[in-house]
Amino acid sequence: MAFLSEAELEQSLLEQLRGLGYSIEREEDIGPDGHRPERESHDEVVLRKRFEDAVDRLNPAIPPEARQDAIRKVTQSELPALLEENRRLHRLLTEGVDVEYYADDGTLAAGKVALIDFETPENNDWLAVRQFTVINGRNTRRPDVVVFVNGLPLAVIELKAPGSGNATLAGAFNQLQTYKQQIPQLFHTNALLVTSDGISARVGSLSADLERFMPWRTTDGREVAPKGAPELPVLVEGVFEHRRLLDLLRDFTVFG
């Protein structure tokens, strides 16, 4: 039996995401050292211009200074515990950011700045980045694929090449746990994590243990993929179709 290499598996995944309407970029192109950088340093995880452009596009009636205030509330960490910061930002992602500003008549007005358009998915900026490099102190990590919506990292996908010694779902899961400890800023806005050994594939939440990472068996909610079929393509189409990913973020994520 011939197995795909990790690079081939990664490329296949990215081509599937492209087919679902994602733009595809590489770290060597848009990283801080790339020829068209989208962030100033490797410790930044938000693609600032994409984020600001989306906030401006989705909130034309909110004054620019209030929009900038909302951006600061998202990009400046407030809580030391990763899960609590994730919970804070999940609320902002799904409900919008409360802001105050002075209206044209000089009165103080209150408003909400939307970060994502949940009703019209095509109004958002959809991007997948290969080998997105994050440096935190002495730790340098390169998750295989990071999925962004409006410049915010919402999903991390870790792949292991089938046939190699550490190509297990547990190995991919453990790699994600290392990332959470060493580069926690990448997970502040995280909505889901994906692991695959090239054959099997699982999806879980930020706080899920290994047993709670589960297969995704359908792409349309009606027909279940047969057992034994490659699981990663089904999971990718089932989870990362634009509207479904937004539904998972807003309507199917609960904090205890």
Side-chain angles (χ1 to χ4, degrees):
M1 180 184 291
F3 289 111
L4 292 176
S5 69
E6 192 167 311
E8 290 170 327
L9 184 63
E10 211 172 88
Q11 187 59 38
S12 175
L13 166 68
L14 290 168
E15 288 304 320
Q16 189 179 4
L17 288 172
R18 192 193 304 276
L20 290 172
Y22 290 79
S23 298
I24 306 299
E25 293 286 4
R26 303 181 305 169
E27 169 68 20
E28 54 259 45
D29 294 327
I30 68 165
D33 304 325
H35 58 276
R36 42 187 176 85
E38 295 203 24
R39 52 191 175 130
E40 293 183 359
S41 65
H42 283 106
D43 62 344
E44 295 179 18
V45 298
V46 173
L47 303 179
R48 185 84 185 203
K49 186 174 188 307
R50 290 177 187 264
F51 184 37
E52 291 182 344
D53 287 350
V55 169
D56 291 345
R57 185 174 66 251
L58 299 180
N59 303 276
I62 301 288
E65 62 272 15
R67 296 198 297 258
Q68 283 298 314
D69 184 41
I71 287 168
R72 277 192 298 274
K73 289 179 180 177
V74 174
T75 55
Q76 292 180 359
S77 179
E78 292 186 7
L79 300 170
L82 172 56
L83 196 58
E84 289 306 310
E85 182 69 357
N86 182 262
R87 183 175 189 163
R88 180 184 77 86
L89 289 168
H90 178 267
R91 185 175 294 114
L92 301 184
L93 287 169
T94 55
E95 298 178 8
V97 185
D98 291 315
V99 293
E100 290 185 340
Y101 55 90
Y102 286 100
D104 293 339
D105 61 2
T107 59
L108 191 62
K112 268 193 186 291
V113 171
L115 306 178
I116 294 174
D117 188 336
F118 286 92
E119 306 310 319
T120 312
E122 56 268 27
N123 283 347
N124 301 298
D125 178 288
W126 300 87
L127 174 71
V129 180
R130 182 179 196 166
Q131 298 291 313
F132 187 74
T133 303
V134 182
I135 297 176
N136 184 39
R138 296 182 179 179
N139 297 309
T140 300
R141 292 294 174 181
R142 296 178 181 84
D144 292 322
V145 177
V146 179
V147 173
F148 294 82
V149 178
N150 295 341
L152 300 171
L154 293 195
V156 178
I157 302 172
E158 188 65 18
L159 307 170
K160 294 296 181 186
S164 65
N166 67 340
T168 63
L169 290 173
F173 172 84
N174 290 335
Q175 190 73 59
L176 289 173
Q177 306 315 300
T178 299
Y179 295 158
K180 282 160 54 176
Q181 292 170 1
Q182 295 188 351
I183 50 169
Q185 67 267 42
L186 181 61
F187 300 90
H188 286 171
T189 56
N190 183 266
L192 53 90
L193 305 171
V194 173
T195 62
S196 178
D197 61 4
I199 300 169
S200 301
R202 300 289 184 270
V203 60
S205 70
L206 182 65
S207 61
D209 57 24
L210 181 60
E211 289 70 31
R212 297 301 298 172
F213 270 65
M214 306 298 284
W216 193 279
R217 302 246 184 240
T218 179
T219 59
D220 59 11
R222 293 185 293 274
E223 294 202 14
V224 176
K227 287 196 173 182
E231 294 178 352
L232 186 57
V234 175
L235 186 150
V236 170
E237 185 175 346
V239 170
F240 289 98
E241 187 273 327
H242 290 172
R243 185 171 295 280
R244 201 141 42 231
L245 180 59
L246 295 185
D247 286 347
L248 287 169
L249 173 66
R250 183 178 65 177
D251 300 324
F252 293 90
T253 303
V254 177
F255 289 84

